[in-house]
């Protein structure tokens, strides 16, 4: 599975592939739909570089670990090293903007939460972060709210805009940079609007970022990794 950052025309972006820094509950509606409190400081977590895959023309989901929820999110591609910066510096240090899916094994996550365990098994697995190509940051204006949306099989499931965020995009990046040094090639996911639900193999997805980006893709079933590993071992013997 190889991933590389790309512009929306498909050409490669000359930045390394790094970590993905994410925020939980950045839209009040979404916090409520999962029965969570609205936080006063952003809830941060990381997906490793190994979780990144291209979102289109298809991406795969595990089928043997309960529900896999879609969380459509605005994705930011970092172009500079950012450590303890302010929001304005953060804004000027982005290479591009796009869309990401924070895939979540919801049943696994609920179990982990109950036990007080970390979330990685539910959110950081291989393929847990499908991302689109990026729009050059210079072509995106922040003067008006930007809307993101997700349709599944023709039905609108998620829609939200930047004014509904509890922590606005670049203030969020600034806060993240106080905890984790952001490196060129890192991606930031800025939280999901309400409407999260389970995906099924065969689902057809259309995701949008403002009027600039529209991505169509298909969900496929991931081969059971343990079985694959078992077969490889048997073949070797
Ligand atoms: Zn999320």
């Amino acid at each position: 599975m190889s991933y590389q950052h790309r512009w929306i025309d498909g050409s490669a972006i000359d930045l390394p592939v790094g970590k993905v820094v994410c925020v939980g509950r950045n839209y009040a509606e979404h916090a409520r739909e999962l029965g969570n409190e609205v936080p006063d400081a952003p809830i941060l977590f990381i997906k490793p570089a190994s979780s990144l895959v291209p979102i289109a023309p298809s991406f795969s989901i595990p089928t043997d670990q309960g529900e896999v929820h879609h969380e459509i999110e605005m994705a930011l591609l970092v172009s500079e090293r950012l450590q303890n910066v302010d929001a304005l510096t953060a804004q000027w240090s982005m290479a591009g903007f796009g869309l990401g899916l924070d895939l979540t094994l919801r049943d696994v996550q609920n179990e982990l939460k109950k036990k007080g365990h970390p979330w990685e098994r539910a959110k950081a697995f291989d393929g847990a972060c499908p991302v689109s190509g990026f729009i050059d940051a210079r072509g995106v204006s922040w003067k008006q709210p930007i809307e993101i949306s997700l349709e599944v099989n023709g039905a609108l499931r998620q829609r939200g805009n930047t004014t509904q965020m509890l922590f606005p995009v670049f203030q969020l990046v600034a806060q993240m940079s106080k905890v984790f040094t952001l490196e060129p090639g890192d991606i930031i996911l800025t939280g999901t609007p309400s409407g999260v639900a389970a995906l099924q193999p065969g689902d057809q997805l259309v995701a949008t970022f403002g009027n600039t980006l529209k991505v169509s893709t298909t969900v496929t079933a991931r081969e059971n990794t343990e079985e694959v590993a078992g077969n490889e071992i048997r073949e070797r013997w």
Side-chain angles (χ1 to χ4, degrees):
M1 208 183 295
S2 69
Y3 167 84
Q4 147 133 57
H5 303 306
R6 294 188 181 278
W7 299 115
I8 47 177
D9 68 3
S11 60
I13 298 177
D14 188 20
L15 282 172
V17 177
K19 62 187 175 293
V20 185
V21 184
C22 308
V23 58
R25 305 175 206 168
N26 200 23
Y27 290 79
E29 285 272 297
H30 169 61
R32 278 193 284 269
E33 77 179 341
L34 294 183
N36 293 316
E37 282 171 32
V38 172
D40 24 309
I43 298 165
L44 303 180
F45 60 96
I46 285 180
K47 290 177 185 257
S50 49
S51 68
L52 286 164
V53 289
I55 198 170
S58 68
F59 66 88
S60 67
I61 58 170
T63 54
D64 55 350
Q65 295 172 73
E67 292 195 345
V68 185
H69 277 198
H70 55 75
E71 297 192 358
I72 192 68
E73 310 200 5
M74 186 179 285
L76 283 51
L77 180 62
V78 177
S79 65
E80 308 289 333
R81 189 162 199 266
L82 301 177
Q83 203 167 36
N84 198 12
V85 297
D86 59 22
L88 198 61
T89 307
Q91 181 162 357
W92 288 107
S93 305
M94 297 297 133
F97 303 102
L99 291 160
L101 277 172
D102 169 17
L103 292 182
T104 304
L105 285 161
R106 192 68 72 197
D107 296 328
V108 173
Q109 187 194 30
N110 287 340
E111 273 308 300
L112 295 170
K113 276 184 180 171
K114 252 189 258 166
K115 293 178 184 160
H117 290 178
W119 292 356
E120 274 85 346
R121 281 176 173 276
K123 279 188 173 278
F125 57 90
D126 286 357
C129 195
V131 292
S132 72
F134 289 89
I135 308 157
D136 190 318
R138 290 167 295 186
V140 177
S141 162
W142 293 88
K143 291 193 182 110
Q144 302 291 328
I146 296 175
E147 185 177 276
I148 56 168
S149 72
L150 179 71
E151 273 180 21
V152 179
N153 302 324
L156 182 67
R157 286 260 189 95
Q158 294 192 266
R159 179 162 64 189
N161 73 55
T162 41
T163 63
Q164 299 164 332
M165 290 180 173
L166 299 173
F167 303 96
V169 174
F170 300 112
Q171 286 179 36
L172 176 67
V173 178
Q175 291 228 26
M176 286 172 167
S177 80
K178 295 181 201 312
V179 184
F180 308 108
T181 298
L182 300 169
E183 307 278 1
D186 283 355
I187 286 177
I188 290 159
L189 295 187
T190 56
T192 198
S194 59
V196 301
L199 288 170
Q200 306 296 337
D203 280 349
Q204 303 286 327
L205 274 49
V206 178
T208 64
F209 176 110
N211 303 320
T212 331
L213 177 60
K214 186 173 182 175
V215 186
S216 303
T217 186
T218 305
V219 181
T220 63
R222 194 177 80 181
E223 284 182 69
N224 184 322
T225 33
E226 278 165 32
E227 246 168 52
V228 172
N231 288 340
E232 271 170 22
I233 290 163
R234 273 193 293 279
E235 270 164 33
R236 248 177 260 144
W237 285 95

